[in-house]
Amino acid sequence: MKNLKLKICGMKHPENISEVATLQPDYIGFIFYEKTPRFFEGKIPQLDSEIKKTGVFVNASPDYILEKVKKHKLRAVQLHGGESAEFCQELKIIFAGMDRMEIIKVFSVKEEFDFSVLQEFEGIVDYFLFDTKGKTKGGTGETFNWELLKDYPSSTPFFLSGGIGLDEVEAIKKLQNYFKKQDKKELLYAVDINSRFESEPGLKDVEKLERFKKQF
């Protein structure tokens, strides 16, 4: 995807996971949060080592996160709750002896966002992720005001998430071009897609995913 990584999140069914993996996304996400219909309880099938298995957690304990990391051989953790910078630092220390573990910290956005809240996480997490603010965690199917990202003050690369489907392709390309013109093309690191590519929660439409991937 020409300098733009792809994360497909909310996977649940082993056969569907294997089908999605044939598209060679950069990340595949599994949600370890019981209050979502995409809660993952199964066994992850064998995936290409280049695909980073990512665990999504919401205010989970370090022990619970570490258990899932070891069990599923995760390469990244995505923190979707109110985790503090101190918590992220604690995880970073825990992961220090592991090979290439990444920490992604999520922030929910609607019509406005105070970017100053990112400062304490700088140098601790590997990436930020901006998702659409909703009543529940994840899967709103709605985008937020991406114009806000033009004021992004950080040097930490970020994932773009929240309601992304085939109709958002041109808007993503425009945002890519904006950062490219600012000589900051590396900041928009990845897109994270989920509910807009499902036939039911956790079951992805591989054909639609392939059409999306081919746009970039």
Side-chain angles (χ1 to χ4, degrees), residues 9-34:
C9 200
M11 299 304 304
K12 190 170 182 178
H13 307 286
E15 186 176 337
N16 189 226
I17 293 166
S18 295
E19 290 174 344
V20 166
T22 64
L23 300 177
Q24 288 296 120
D26 301 281
Y27 297 79
I28 290 184
F30 304 91
I31 301 176
F32 299 102
Y33 178 59
E34 293 183 1

Side-chain angles (χ1 to χ4, degrees), residues 116-206:
S116 68
V117 302
L118 306 178
Q119 292 176 2
E120 60 182 324
F121 295 88
E122 300 282 3
I124 299 175
V125 303
D126 297 281
Y127 305 101
F128 295 128
L129 184 151
F130 297 108
D131 195 7
T132 305
K133 190 172 187 177
K135 293 181 180 179
T136 57
K137 295 292 182 184
T140 65
E142 299 177 359
T143 58
F144 63 89
N145 179 14
W146 293 356
E147 287 294 308
L148 295 172
L149 296 174
K150 292 182 177 179
D151 294 325
Y152 186 64
S154 172
S155 60
T156 301
F158 66 88
F159 286 65
L160 180 65
S161 186
I164 295 174
L166 289 167
D167 292 341
E168 282 64 50
V169 167
E170 292 308 313
I172 293 169
K173 289 180 178 179
K174 286 181 181 178
L175 196 59
Q176 271 188 300
N177 287 334
Y178 172 80
F179 283 108
K180 185 177 180 181
K181 288 177 182 177
Q182 301 295 314
D183 200 25
K184 297 178 179 179
K185 63 181 180 180
E186 74 284 352
L187 290 181
L188 177 51
Y189 174 74
V191 291
D192 183 350
I193 57 181
N194 188 352
S195 61
R196 296 280 295 280
F197 291 88
E198 291 182 329
S199 52
E200 63 181 62
L203 187 64
K204 300 298 187 288
D205 184 324
V206 179

Side-chain angles (χ1 to χ4, degrees), residues 103-116:
I103 299 175
I104 305 164
K105 181 67 186 86
V106 178
F107 294 89
S108 297
V109 187
K110 195 68 175 179
E111 294 302 323
E112 55 186 13
F113 184 72
D114 180 7
F115 285 105
S116 68

